[in-house]
Amino acid sequence: MSEERNEYTPEINEEHGEFSPELVELEDLETGEKHPFEILDALEVDGQEYIALVPAAEDPTGVLDDNCELVILKSNYISDDEVEYNTIEDDEEYERIGELFLQRLEEIFEGDDCDCDDCCDGGCDCCGHDHE
């Protein structure tokens, strides 16, 4: 298995320094209802692209709480500017890709709780994080 790391970067509003999430609308094929989701990350494994999403929240402070539902889908490019997202049918593939996303998301959000800049400019291991 080869994992190619895509550097997925959400948009930042330069004028206000605010985070601007990338949203996609997914349709529930059983009910026909459309639901907004926020893309957290994307990666490519063995030539197949996958995305990790969470339901879009009206209150951005609650987006990554413990009750958040992580959705992992395969990207299927229909054309250069049109992509279709599909569920992963194979349980083993889903578990493998899910584990990769969980590791990556932990890495991405790990530093968010670090207060080392307040006490020692990040030159220590007081919070247990690797600052290299």
Side-chain angles (χ1 to χ4, degrees):
M1 170 180 66
S2 66
E3 175 188 350
E4 186 176 306
R5 293 205 177 245
N6 293 344
E7 293 300 322
Y8 175 76
T9 308
E11 294 179 25
I12 303 292
N13 181 325
E14 296 294 331
E15 183 178 333
H16 301 288
E18 296 174 350
F19 168 73
S20 178
E22 183 173 347
L23 299 176
V24 295
E25 194 170 74
L26 301 179
E27 182 178 349
D28 183 329
L29 296 178
E30 293 178 8
T31 65
E33 291 183 50
K34 294 184 179 186
H35 305 278
F37 283 81
E38 178 182 340
I39 298 176
L40 293 181
D41 195 12
L43 65 86
E44 186 175 310
V45 177
D46 296 331
Q48 175 63 57
E49 186 177 306
Y50 301 88
I51 59 170
L53 311 106
V54 292
E58 290 180 26
D59 175 14
T61 60
V63 171
L64 294 176
D65 65 14
D66 290 341
N67 297 322
C68 185
E69 175 187 355
L70 182 66
V71 177
I72 301 169
L73 300 173
K74 278 184 176 183
S75 301
N76 179 26
Y77 287 90
I78 298 168
S79 65
D80 288 342
D81 58 347
E82 186 178 357
V83 64
E84 177 180 85
Y85 300 109
N86 300 304
T87 57
I88 301 172
E89 300 295 333
D90 180 28
D91 290 341
E92 185 178 304
E93 178 185 11
Y94 183 84
E95 291 296 323
R96 180 173 51 103
I97 300 304
E99 188 61 36
L100 288 172
F101 271 122
L102 289 176
Q103 290 171 2
R104 287 170 53 100
L105 292 171
E106 284 177 10
E107 290 172 12
I108 290 169
F109 293 106
E110 181 178 77
D112 287 354
D113 296 331
C114 180
D115 292 328
C116 287
D117 290 338
D118 295 335
C119 70
C120 61
D121 296 326
C124 70
D125 64 354
C126 65
C127 64
H129 293 109
D130 183 13
H131 294 286
E132 294 181 40

